[in-house]
Amino acid sequence: MKTLYVTLLSGFLMATAGKAQITLLNVWHEPQDGNQHGVRLYDSTGAIPKTTGMGQAWDFSQMVMQSTPASVVNFMAAASVPSASLFTGATVVGDHGSNSYSYYKTNASQLEMLGTWSSTGTTMYSDSRKEMIWPTTSGTTYTDTFAATKSTSTMTTSITGSLTSLASGFGMLELPGGAIFDSVLQIRYDKMTMLGDTGAAPNNTTMISTVYKYISGKQRFPLVTVTYNSWSDTTNTMMKNYMVEINYLVAVGINDYNFDAGFAIYPNPAKTQINFSLSNPQFEQCEVHIYNMTGQEVKQVNLGNSATIAENVNIEGIPAGIYVVRTHLGNKTSVRKLIVE
């Protein structure tokens, strides 16, 4: 049986003590029956944001969506999928479409990959792969090993590898379309996978992968996943690629995060004051909270409940930097980015 090493980087946590954090828990962040996760591939027009540490501002807003169709996974209880009986302990299954499934074991301490099944082949883990441990917060790290066998009609492939995960950053993230999330945890995975084929033309492949996942405290699935792969085979052929996947179910739903298309905050960038302008036909109470990039609230203002709100807010004394403005209108919320010069 393998050993799973879990530590909290004490120095990292001491450096961020007292600052707002998020904690990922199984009840909020592991796949469950009825969930749907959809991603689309995007191309980069510049450097891909992947800086680590506290107080980050990851800007993916300039990414360009590729024309390839979206990839959607629908999750369901394992009991409803007959082939799940092949994977002992499976509790939830991801349906990728085209008769292709992935099988997971979920519990309060970790999320495990048990295998995959499709009409063309089956992958079964004899030593499961840890996808996540619970709880996870800034600085959480673990190391895991895994082993599996993939079988098709023509060959059998052995799979072994190791994975190290580190919750390496915390901050704000902006998606294409303008949706902004102000409590995002960055998790970095470093994975080595070795494949050994035993078919008519045996081939051994080693793959090195570095993956960055950006997870919001308010969304079950990652907002963005960035993957870098490099691999070589027995012919010594070296190949590399990268992939940016964005949760399009969130990116296209930006109206959920901007309650009023006419809502404006200006000037932006600002120096000593900002203006708020929005309509409030229901006469709901409006409050503004401004947070820095470590999640600390630096200012709170009550804008009242007038039908038309046009207020000037003094921000003198707020240091230059990037901030998140969270505006509450009744039970609706809008999140905007603010730059103070």
Side-chain angles (χ1 to χ4, degrees), residues 123-124 146-151 155-161 193-198 203-205:
T123 300
M124 301 187 71
F146 54 89
T149 300
K150 180 178 180 179
S151 302
M155 71 173 63
T156 299
T157 302
S158 65
I159 303 171
T160 58
T193 306
M194 292 165 285
L195 310 176
D197 294 341
T198 58
N203 187 24
N204 297 317
T205 302

Side-chain angles (χ1 to χ4, degrees), residues 169-240:
F170 179 78
M172 178 184 73
L173 183 144
E174 184 172 358
L175 292 176
I180 296 175
F181 296 82
D182 57 338
S183 295
V184 176
L185 192 64
Q186 176 199 65
I187 303 178
R188 172 174 170 155
Y189 299 86
D190 291 293
K191 182 171 64 174
M192 181 177 69
T193 306
M194 292 165 285
L195 310 176
D197 294 341
T198 58
N203 187 24
N204 297 317
T205 302
T206 299
M207 175 179 287
I208 306 295
S209 302
T210 301
V211 181
Y212 296 87
K213 291 187 178 182
Y214 299 83
I215 303 176
S216 166
K218 305 175 183 66
Q219 295 290 328
R220 186 171 297 274
F221 299 106
L223 302 172
V224 179
T225 301
V226 180
T227 304
Y228 297 91
N229 291 319
S230 64
W231 63 99
S232 59
D233 57 22
T234 51
T235 66
N236 292 319
T237 301
M238 193 67 153
M239 295 160 281
K240 295 183 179 182

Side-chain angles (χ1 to χ4, degrees), residues 9 27 51 56 59 88 133 163 188-189 193 217 253 331-332 340:
L9 301 184
V27 67
T51 50
Q56 298 297 320
D59 187 354
T88 303
I133 63 169
L163 179 150
R188 172 174 170 155
Y189 299 86
T193 306
N331 61 1
K332 299 181 290 294
V340 177

Side-chain angles (χ1 to χ4, degrees), residues 90-279:
T91 54
V92 65
V93 178
D95 181 356
H96 299 262
S98 301
N99 209 19
S100 176
Y101 301 90
S102 53
Y103 305 83
Y104 301 90
K105 180 179 180 180
T106 59
N107 57 50
S109 63
Q110 59 197 19
L111 172 65
E112 301 175 59
M113 162 63 77
L114 300 183
T116 63
W117 183 92
S118 71
S119 57
T120 59
T122 302
T123 300
M124 301 187 71
Y125 281 79
S126 57
D127 193 356
S128 63
R129 189 179 74 207
K130 300 296 184 290
E131 302 289 290
M132 186 75 77
I133 63 169
W134 317 112
T136 288
T137 190
S138 292
T140 299
T141 183
Y142 71 88
T143 297
D144 183 41
T145 59
F146 54 89
T149 300
K150 180 178 180 179
S151 302
T152 68
S153 59
T154 59
M155 71 173 63
T156 299
T157 302
S158 65
I159 303 171
T160 58
S162 62
L163 179 150
T164 298
S165 169
L166 169 64
S168 49
F170 179 78
M172 178 184 73
L173 183 144
E174 184 172 358
L175 292 176
I180 296 175
F181 296 82
D182 57 338
S183 295
V184 176
L185 192 64
Q186 176 199 65
I187 303 178
R188 172 174 170 155
Y189 299 86
D190 291 293
K191 182 171 64 174
M192 181 177 69
T193 306
M194 292 165 285
L195 310 176
D197 294 341
T198 58
N203 187 24
N204 297 317
T205 302
T206 299
M207 175 179 287
I208 306 295
S209 302
T210 301
V211 181
Y212 296 87
K213 291 187 178 182
Y214 299 83
I215 303 176
S216 166
K218 305 175 183 66
Q219 295 290 328
R220 186 171 297 274
F221 299 106
L223 302 172
V224 179
T225 301
V226 180
T227 304
Y228 297 91
N229 291 319
S230 64
W231 63 99
S232 59
D233 57 22
T234 51
T235 66
N236 292 319
T237 301
M238 193 67 153
M239 295 160 281
K240 295 183 179 182
N241 68 8
Y242 82 94
M243 180 168 56
V244 179
E245 299 172 294
I246 292 181
N247 187 332
Y248 85 93
L249 297 177
V250 173
V252 300
I254 59 173
N255 288 334
D256 295 338
Y257 303 94
N258 296 280
F259 51 72
D260 182 354
F263 173 38
I265 300 176
Y266 61 93
N268 194 0
K271 291 185 178 180
T272 60
Q273 63 182 24
I274 50 176
N275 299 293
F276 288 80
S277 175
L278 66 150
S279 61

